[in-house]
Every structure is written in structure tokens, then in C-alpha cells.
Amino acid sequence: MKKALITGITGQDGSYLADLLLSKGYEVHGIIRRASSFNTARIDHLYQDPHVHGVRLFLHYGDLSDSVNLVKLLYELQPDEIYHLGAQSHVRVSFDIPEYTSDITAVGTIRILEAIRESGVRPRFYQASSSEMFGRVQEIPQTERTPFWPRSPYAVAKVFSYWVTVNYRESYGLHASNGILFNHESPRRGETFVTRKITRAVARIKLGLDEFIYLGNLDAKRDWGYAPEYVEGMWRILQQDQPDNYVLATNETHTVREFIERAFAHVGLDWEKYVRYDKRYERPAEVDLLIGNPAKAKRELHWEAKVRFEQLVQIMVDADLALLRSKT
């Protein structure tokens, strides 16, 4: 039985990855931060029926700012694979708390890599890199060879994590890979991220619970995929004999405005009656266009996105409608 350790297991990607690895027979361990209330809603279903996976999911208190704890965990667990998904992952928020973002999202990565080196374990390591690293894009579409031009403290921190992963791979012979994932969404997406904010608002407006939604830049273009498919890409990356860097994307781009239009149209509403502009949601430096070319992933990992934009929007709106109806 393979043993995997996931940082950020309570997030969107971490929860879907836990689902996937348990279905493949892994023993799964996750790091969670100590808080006064539980933040495990996305993985609670894994405990509902212990007969589904048996007792193969274990959570450990820890923090990406605590290097001693990370070394102890690796000594204790001896994982075969580490998926480093934990971060302060909200781009707009990173402008408000740049120092914290840098400490957790950037330095947190080097703490884990150093823990691997110090503990002497030799797991395969996955670093969750981001399309935000491309920022002011230098070519269209973006590939594994496109230069980075980050436009937020979050993106700068992710560039640091990308290169330190490459550096430890080349310096210490670690099986350490980067997955450069373009935007990927789902009903488990956090409610402060623009796609989920939109679909949740659409559901609330449709059910008469809200009148408006307030948003910033509607012209930003993104390459949006479906999160469960992208975590399978993460797993495939770590099954390769040699570590490498891979772009996971759909090779399609759509504006935030298109996402809004499709979401409201799905419930029979005219979006222009309900959307209001609020400058507070604008970034100090915007990323205007992201679109990734996943040709390498398709060729080497046999991975490609199957859920396309229209279907993704419908999945998320339907899920938020069902969620709200279950509460009323």
C-alpha cells in the first residue's frame, strides 16, 4: 500500500486528491492547521462510511511555518509521495498580506524540501505551481518554456516555489516535479474565488435570497478546467520515471463576463440586471490573459481535460442551487 502526504488537504484540490488516492488504494495523510473550529467540510464525506475506504485517511496538525514539525512528520510517516498543495492561495488577498503569503506559499515550500533532505526519506514530490506565474504573458498560449512574469505577491511566491523545486531536483537528485495548473474549478471551490462567487450568487438570486452580485474586472481571460480531472494529472505526474514540469490546461480561454453570462443564462436570467461593479475587487496589477497548451501532458502523461467551459459552469450552478435548496 502506497502512502501519500497532502498539504492543503482541506482545500478544493486536496479533497479531490484524497478521493482519488483512496480510490487507488493509498493510505492518505493530510496536514491541517490547528483552529478553534474544524475546517474539514470538503473531506468529511470520507468519514461518513468507513466501509468505503476503511480507515486509511489520517489527519495531522501542522503548519507550513513550522519546519521542525514537518521533519518530525516525515520521519514518522515515511511517505512514498508528497503532494504540496498548501498555500495562501488567493491572488487578490496576497496584495493585502504579502509577507504572510511569501512565508507560507514560498518559504513553506523550501521548508518541506529541506524536511525531505533532513529526514533522509526519498518520496516523490509534487509542487503545485500556478498559471499566475506567467502574469504579463510573453507568448500565447503558454507552455512549459514560456518565461514567467508574475503580477502579484502570490504569483511571485509561486515562482520561488517552482524554481526551488527545480533546484532541489538538480542539486540533490530528488524526484521533484512541478504541475503548472491553469484555473480549475468545481463545486468545492472556495466562495471568495470569482467562479464560485458567481455561481453561488446566481443560485441565491434565482431563489430570491439576493438581489445583486458585486464584481471587479469582467474582461480578464482565463483557461478554466474541472478540478477532479486536474488532480488526476497531479497523480500522473508523480507516476513518471523521471521528474519534470508540466502544464495542465484546456487550451481555451474565456472572460469573466462569459462565465457570468453562461451562469445566469443557465437559470433563465439576464445577467446585466444583477451584476454591479465594485473597484475593491480590482487587483493593483491585473493578469489579462491566461491560456495554456497542455500538449506535453497529453503526450507524456496521456492526460487531457474533458469537461469544457459550458459544462463546468452548469455543474457549478446546479451544485449551488442544490446546496441552497437543501438548506431552505
Side-chain angles (χ1 to χ4, degrees), residues 201 204-205 209-214 264 272-276:
R204 291 183 62 84
I205 290 168
L209 301 173
D210 276 338
E211 292 184 74
F212 305 110
I213 176 176
Y214 295 87
F264 276 96
E272 292 185 282
K273 295 180 180 178
Y274 305 101
V275 176
R276 298 289 185 271

Side-chain angles (χ1 to χ4, degrees), residues 30 38 45 53 61 75 118 150 154 187 225 228-229 234 237 251 253 275 305-306 310 318 325:
F38 287 111
H45 66 282
H53 298 300
Y61 287 121
Y75 269 127
E118 286 290 323
Y154 167 78
E229 295 180 344
M234 299 176 187
I237 287 171
N251 203 23
T253 191
V275 176
K306 296 181 175 62
E310 186 90 27
D318 289 343
R325 284 172 175 150

Side-chain angles (χ1 to χ4, degrees), residues 166-192:
V166 172
N167 187 262
Y168 272 62
R169 178 170 77 210
E170 295 177 350
S171 300
Y172 303 113
L174 299 185
H175 192 295
S177 297
N178 283 291
I180 307 173
L181 272 57
F182 280 64
N183 293 63
H184 46 287
E185 318 297 316
S186 75
R188 297 185 194 174
R189 188 57 140 155
E191 293 175 359
T192 61

Side-chain angles (χ1 to χ4, degrees), residues 112-162:
I112 293 185
L113 289 166
E114 271 294 285
I116 292 172
R117 201 168 69 86
E118 286 290 323
S119 64
V121 299
R122 301 294 286 183
R124 296 188 173 194
F125 177 80
Y126 173 86
Q127 162 59 22
S129 292
S130 168
S131 59
E132 288 284 335
M133 301 187 304
F134 295 119
R136 183 180 289 174
V137 298
Q138 301 301 291
E139 63 178 356
I140 300 171
Q142 294 89 57
T143 73
E144 293 82 3
R145 295 182 177 276
T146 303
F148 301 135
W149 193 318
R151 299 269 285 168
S152 66
Y154 167 78
V156 171
K158 283 294 187 181
V159 171
F160 177 97
S161 292
Y162 173 94

Side-chain angles (χ1 to χ4, degrees), residues 37 50 55 67 137 197 244 280 284 300 316 324:
S37 60
V55 185
S67 56
V137 298
K197 181 178 178 180
D244 208 341
R280 290 178 299 173
E300 297 186 11
M316 293 180 67
L324 283 175

Side-chain angles (χ1 to χ4, degrees), residues 14-297:
S15 66
Y16 282 122
L17 182 60
D19 287 338
L20 177 71
L21 296 179
L22 287 168
S23 74
K24 292 182 178 296
Y26 279 67
E27 179 179 305
V28 176
H29 296 260
I31 298 176
I32 60 172
R33 285 174 294 178
R34 175 70 181 93
S36 58
S37 60
F38 287 111
N39 182 31
T40 58
R42 293 185 180 95
I43 55 174
D44 283 348
H45 66 282
L46 296 173
Y47 293 102
Q48 303 301 322
D49 184 358
H51 301 293
V52 175
H53 298 300
V55 185
R56 290 190 282 109
L57 175 63
F58 304 90
L59 301 180
H60 308 267
Y61 287 121
D63 196 287
L64 293 174
S65 64
D66 186 350
S67 56
V68 173
N69 176 255
L70 292 173
V71 173
K72 287 180 177 178
L73 265 179
L74 294 193
Y75 269 127
E76 176 189 340
L77 299 178
Q78 300 282 312
D80 300 291
E81 297 172 1
I82 296 177
Y83 295 87
H84 179 37
L85 314 182
Q88 189 302 99
S89 59
H90 198 287
V91 177
R92 178 62 189 84
V93 171
S94 76
F95 286 100
D96 299 325
I97 49 171
E99 183 178 343
Y100 175 79
T101 299
S102 301
D103 185 46
I104 299 302
T105 306
V107 184
T109 304
I110 209 166
R111 290 187 184 110
I112 293 185
L113 289 166
E114 271 294 285
I116 292 172
R117 201 168 69 86
E118 286 290 323
S119 64
V121 299
R122 301 294 286 183
R124 296 188 173 194
F125 177 80
Y126 173 86
Q127 162 59 22
S129 292
S130 168
S131 59
E132 288 284 335
M133 301 187 304
F134 295 119
R136 183 180 289 174
V137 298
Q138 301 301 291
E139 63 178 356
I140 300 171
Q142 294 89 57
T143 73
E144 293 82 3
R145 295 182 177 276
T146 303
F148 301 135
W149 193 318
R151 299 269 285 168
S152 66
Y154 167 78
V156 171
K158 283 294 187 181
V159 171
F160 177 97
S161 292
Y162 173 94
W163 282 117
V164 79
T165 298
V166 172
N167 187 262
Y168 272 62
R169 178 170 77 210
E170 295 177 350
S171 300
Y172 303 113
L174 299 185
H175 192 295
S177 297
N178 283 291
I180 307 173
L181 272 57
F182 280 64
N183 293 63
H184 46 287
E185 318 297 316
S186 75
R188 297 185 194 174
R189 188 57 140 155
E191 293 175 359
T192 61
F193 289 84
V194 67
T195 51
R196 183 71 195 291
K197 181 178 178 180
I198 291 167
T199 61
R200 185 172 180 269
V202 166
R204 291 183 62 84
I205 290 168
K206 179 65 177 177
L207 297 179
L209 301 173
D210 276 338
E211 292 184 74
F212 305 110
I213 176 176
Y214 295 87
L215 296 166
N217 179 19
L218 304 188
D219 296 317
K221 295 180 178 179
R222 293 292 183 270
D223 183 324
W224 278 301
Y226 186 43
E229 295 180 344
Y230 282 57
V231 300
E232 183 179 341
M234 299 176 187
W235 176 77
R236 290 183 180 227
I237 287 171
L238 287 201
Q239 307 318 302
Q240 301 304 296
D241 291 336
Q242 298 299 320
D244 208 341
N245 311 311
Y246 295 92
V247 163
L248 301 186
T250 69
N251 203 23
E252 291 181 12
T253 191
H254 298 273
T255 63
V256 174
R257 181 178 283 101
E258 286 179 79
F259 197 103
I260 296 166
E261 289 172 352
R262 302 292 172 84
F264 276 96
H266 186 56
V267 296
L269 297 176
D270 177 3
W271 72 274
E272 292 185 282
K273 295 180 180 178
Y274 305 101
V275 176
R276 298 289 185 271
Y277 173 76
D278 190 329
K279 66 179 181 180
R280 290 178 299 173
Y281 297 116
E282 293 274 6
R283 302 180 187 179
E286 184 57 82
V287 173
D288 297 316
L289 169 62
L290 293 175
I291 178 170
N293 182 351
K296 180 178 176 181

